[in-house]
Amino acid sequence: MNTENHDVQNDLRNMYDECRKHMNYHVTLTMTDGSTFDGIIVEVDRDNFTVLAGEDVMERENENGSDSRQYYGDFGRPRRRFRRFRRRAFPFASLAALALLPYITPTPYPYYPSPYPYPYY
């Protein structure tokens, strides 16, 4: 019984250390119920951690009061998508996994050497 309690405390301490290490980074969080979401860890307490959880928001149809078909014919314009972050607090016991959100960096332009040497004068 004592070793099981020690293992749980060790796991919570490991999650605490991981959250402290990834603080202020955009991460993917997997909860114990199987749900996943992305967010930014902004605060870590002894028992809880606070995340700015990202959510998608779509623009309403007639938000600005004008008819969108007057400029684009019958097709209309596509609805704009926004990203909003809300502050949410979770206990460490509900966190199953934590990973950095991968970003694809653009490759720089390759260097092409000139086919002939330039004169230096």
Side-chain angles (χ1 to χ4, degrees), residues 80-109:
R80 291 177 37 183
R81 181 180 142 208
F82 300 101
R83 188 86 169 149
R84 176 177 26 198
F85 289 90
R86 292 191 185 252
R87 185 177 291 265
R88 296 177 66 188
F90 296 100
F92 283 113
S94 66
L95 183 63
L98 175 71
L100 282 174
L101 193 68
Y103 285 102
I104 300 172
T105 58
T107 57
Y109 293 109

Side-chain angles (χ1 to χ4, degrees), residues 39-108:
I40 301 168
I41 299 175
V42 292
E43 185 180 346
V44 179
D45 294 342
R46 214 177 90 217
D47 299 324
N48 302 323
F49 63 99
T50 306
V51 177
L52 292 176
E55 63 181 38
D56 293 329
V57 179
M58 297 297 284
E59 181 183 41
R60 287 182 276 195
E61 288 291 329
N62 291 326
E63 185 170 320
N64 56 4
S66 66
D67 188 12
S68 62
R69 290 178 287 166
Q70 68 183 354
Y71 299 109
Y72 295 99
D74 291 335
F75 298 112
R77 65 176 181 176
R79 293 174 59 188
R80 291 177 37 183
R81 181 180 142 208
F82 300 101
R83 188 86 169 149
R84 176 177 26 198
F85 289 90
R86 292 191 185 252
R87 185 177 291 265
R88 296 177 66 188
F90 296 100
F92 283 113
S94 66
L95 183 63
L98 175 71
L100 282 174
L101 193 68
Y103 285 102
I104 300 172
T105 58
T107 57

